[in-house]
Amino acid sequence: MGEGVRILSKRDLKKFRFSSHLGNLTLAIAVSSLVVIATAVFVFYRFVVPNQVQQFATDRATTIALSAQYWVVLKDSNAEELKSFESFLLLKENLLIREQTLDELEQSMDDMDSELNLQPIFKHGDFARRFEQALENNLGHEVQILQDEETRLWVQIPFEQSEPITVAFYVGSPPVQTLYWGLVFLIGGVIVVLIATVYTFRRISRPLTRVVKAAESFRGLSGFTPLPEQGAYEMVSLAKSFNKMAEEITTLIENRIAISAGLSHDLKTPLTRMRLALELLPEDIDPKFKQKFEDNIDRMTTLITDAALFAKGQTEPDQKVNPKNLISSTVRSIDENIQIEWQGKLPTSVQLAPSALDRCVTNLVQNARLHATGVRLKVRATANELYVHVVDEGPGIPPEDRQRVLQPYVRLDKSRSTKTGGSGLGLAVVVQLCLFHQWKFELHTSESGGTDAVLTIEINKILQS
């Protein structure tokens, strides 16, 4: 891939946002927030909730064991107090005690035409296992636990000196709501911090993006819109510094243009007089001497014109043109024998700078004809871009010299011959015009080993006629 002029695109701006320090900071905070939330949820469900369930099961088992033991004591001693105790357990602890085994209880319900479908526990499996273990630890022997359709647990508790009894109760929920609210507040706080960070990042990155766009669009010419000097102190200082720099560069370039225009005008005047004097020379002057003198005048005129064009460096407003007709007429004006290969469906009308495109194609074709043979063009169109390839069969440009040859007054031909070396401004003018019009220019190696000069024009708005 050859090196060339690259213009910052919207895609590059997006990459800039995500590869900046602010973007990395926001990404780090976002990842850290997700890690905090994931860790909190894992710790909560892995350690906090099981501990709360265990504590709840232990407390419930202790209450039922003590209640059952006290109920057995009251059963044989005080019937009225037993009745009051059963009412208290039903109202306050939601416990129902029966002096029956589970089988007897199911049978009695069947005799009463009331169905009690007891089955192994399934909904409260984890709690029931913890509860069963805690209850057996309190009583010192095994118990049997079943569940009915209303998700009540029925526990058969045997006693050594008494008949077994059955206790029914609703499990309820472990007291973890406060912890759930704490987890919710933690997650909410992390989300708020993340949102505030993203908002702050956008507030900071927006002015920086404006600076990037302004720097990308600034060409050192008049018409530059200064950045608004508002916002935070740092942004105001940055905008003031950028505006001052842009103003100084614009003034410097305008002075250079004025000086170059004056020099061009002053130098062309004596050249015109020399050309007039050459035409008035007597007929007996040596024709070879006269032709050589005329070639030197033409050469000086070309150098002055190219230098003035390079120094002027002004942009040109886009116009509605037919790219195929423009390129064809430009090439035909140089050499009618140059072949042009058209690829893709070229739009009949596009918005671009016609004089700039004409100058770029002219310089590339003339440069190729000056240094190589077999010059041809290949024009390829896509949905959004127009590619103009100027291909030759010459010796090519070494990769290490491709960037240097784009600079002003640089000629790879060290002989500096006017026939082979050129002025050294042809490619520099192309680069400058591409920079002004946000085109792209690159040098590659052709299939034959020569040079493939590629001019890429991004067509933002294609006007089909």
Side-chain angles (χ1 to χ4, degrees):
M1 193 72 178
E3 298 180 356
V5 179
R6 293 187 177 273
I7 305 301
L8 193 64
S9 63
K10 293 182 179 180
R11 183 180 299 176
D12 295 327
L13 285 175
K14 293 181 180 179
K15 291 181 180 179
F16 160 78
R17 291 175 184 172
F18 289 103
S19 62
S20 64
H21 292 299
L22 291 174
N24 291 335
L25 177 60
T26 302
L27 181 61
I29 294 177
V31 173
S32 301
S33 301
L34 294 177
V35 170
V36 169
I37 293 176
T39 303
V41 171
F42 173 77
V43 172
F44 184 79
Y45 284 101
R46 179 66 177 82
F47 300 102
V48 177
V49 171
N51 289 339
Q52 289 296 315
V53 172
Q54 179 65 47
Q55 185 64 41
F56 180 66
T58 301
D59 294 343
R60 199 66 168 162
T62 302
T63 300
I64 291 177
L66 293 176
S67 299
Q69 292 172 348
Y70 189 58
W71 186 90
V72 172
V73 173
L74 292 178
K75 181 192 68 170
D76 299 330
S77 60
N78 193 330
E80 293 184 2
E81 187 173 352
L82 176 64
K83 187 175 181 181
S84 299
F85 182 63
E86 288 179 345
S87 299
F88 170 80
L89 291 179
L90 184 62
L91 293 175
K92 298 297 183 180
E93 299 295 336
N94 200 17
L95 296 179
L96 178 65
I97 300 179
R98 290 288 183 267
E99 190 179 6
Q100 292 174 303
T101 64
L102 291 174
D103 294 336
E104 293 173 346
L105 189 61
E106 284 189 291
Q107 183 63 38
S108 64
M109 295 297 290
D110 291 339
D111 295 341
M112 297 170 56
D113 295 330
S114 178
E115 184 178 358
L116 181 62
N117 185 17
L118 298 179
Q119 55 191 341
I121 55 178
F122 60 91
K123 183 175 181 180
H124 304 290
D126 182 58
F127 168 80
R129 285 190 295 271
R130 295 175 185 270
F131 170 77
E132 181 179 9
Q133 183 179 3
L135 187 59
E136 289 177 351
N137 291 338
N138 277 280
L139 298 174
H141 48 75
E142 294 182 355
V143 297
Q144 183 181 2
I145 302 178
L146 296 178
Q147 176 182 335
D148 62 14
E149 293 180 349
E150 298 181 5
T151 68
R152 284 184 300 183
L153 294 185
W154 295 76
V155 185
Q156 178 178 303
I157 304 176
F159 290 97
E160 294 181 356
Q161 299 178 356
S162 177
E163 295 294 330
I165 65 174
T166 298
V167 180
F169 66 96
Y170 288 99
V171 175
S173 300
V176 294
Q177 291 185 353
T178 302
L179 298 177
Y180 276 117
W181 280 112
L183 180 63
V184 170
F185 281 124
L186 174 62
I187 296 176
V190 172
I191 293 176
V192 169
V193 171
L194 180 60
I195 294 175
T197 302
V198 173
Y199 173 76
T200 304
F201 165 70
R202 290 176 60 87
R203 287 291 302 271
I204 296 176
S205 64
R206 195 171 299 162
L208 294 178
T209 303
R210 285 200 299 265
V211 174
V212 172
K213 291 182 178 179
E216 189 275 333
S217 62
F218 178 64
R219 294 294 176 264
L221 302 175
S222 59
F224 169 73
T225 303
L227 291 173
E229 299 177 0
Q230 59 186 14
Y233 171 76
E234 294 82 0
M235 295 297 103
V236 173
S237 300
L238 178 61
K240 286 182 177 180
S241 300
F242 184 85
N243 292 337
K244 183 178 179 181
M245 178 198 68
E247 182 181 357
E248 292 176 351
I249 293 177
T250 301
T251 302
L252 180 63
I253 293 179
E254 288 177 349
N255 292 338
R256 187 190 70 172
I257 293 174
I259 294 174
S260 299
L263 289 175
S264 175
H265 179 270
D266 293 341
L267 290 174
K268 284 183 178 180
T269 300
L271 287 175
T272 303
R273 293 175 181 174
M274 294 172 63
R275 189 182 298 275
L276 180 60
L278 185 63
E279 294 293 334
L280 297 176
L281 287 176
E283 296 292 337
D284 56 351
I285 298 296
D286 186 3
K288 293 183 178 179
F289 171 79
K290 186 177 179 179
Q291 183 63 43
K292 185 175 182 180
F293 198 79
E294 187 175 354
D295 291 342
N296 287 332
I297 293 177
D298 292 339
R299 179 63 178 169
M300 292 179 64
T301 303
T302 301
L303 289 174
I304 294 172
T305 302
D306 289 346
L309 178 63
F310 180 78
K312 191 175 183 181
Q314 65 182 10
T315 58
E316 174 191 0
D318 290 345
Q319 300 179 24
K320 181 180 177 181
V321 297
N322 187 314
K324 185 174 182 179
N325 293 342
L326 178 60
I327 296 174
S328 297
S329 61
T330 301
V331 175
R332 296 293 178 262
S333 65
I334 301 173
D335 188 347
E336 295 184 356
N337 297 321
I338 295 179
Q339 296 181 355
I340 305 177
E341 179 183 354
W342 308 97
Q343 296 181 353
K345 184 179 180 181
L346 269 73
T348 57
S349 182
V350 298
Q351 292 286 121
L352 52 77
S355 297
L357 179 58
D358 177 81
R359 171 57 63 177
C360 288
V361 174
T362 299
N363 285 13
L364 293 177
V365 172
Q366 289 180 344
N367 188 75
R369 293 176 71 246
L370 187 65
H371 298 282
T373 58
V375 180
R376 57 186 176 87
L377 269 72
K378 181 173 66 175
V379 182
R380 180 169 58 92
T382 62
N384 299 316
E385 292 179 319
L386 181 67
Y387 299 90
V388 180
H389 296 256
V390 179
V391 185
D392 61 56
E393 298 178 358
I397 300 176
E400 62 272 13
D401 292 331
R402 289 176 184 172
Q403 187 66 29
R404 187 170 65 90
V405 78
L406 301 179
Q407 300 175 3
Y409 299 109
V410 173
R411 292 179 292 184
L412 297 183
D413 190 342
K414 298 181 180 179
S415 67
R416 300 183 65 88
S417 168
T418 57
K419 294 183 178 180
T420 58
S423 66
L425 284 174
L427 295 182
V429 171
V430 174
V431 170
Q432 185 167 255
L433 290 175
C434 289
L435 183 65
F436 289 153
H437 295 282
Q438 299 186 15
W439 300 343
K440 185 168 64 175
F441 175 63
E442 295 178 336
L443 294 174
H444 300 279
T445 302
S446 64
E447 297 179 355
S448 61
T451 301
D452 181 9
V454 184
L455 178 65
T456 304
I457 301 175
E458 183 176 352
I459 306 174
N460 296 323
K461 185 178 180 182
I462 299 181
L463 303 176
Q464 302 284 356
S465 60

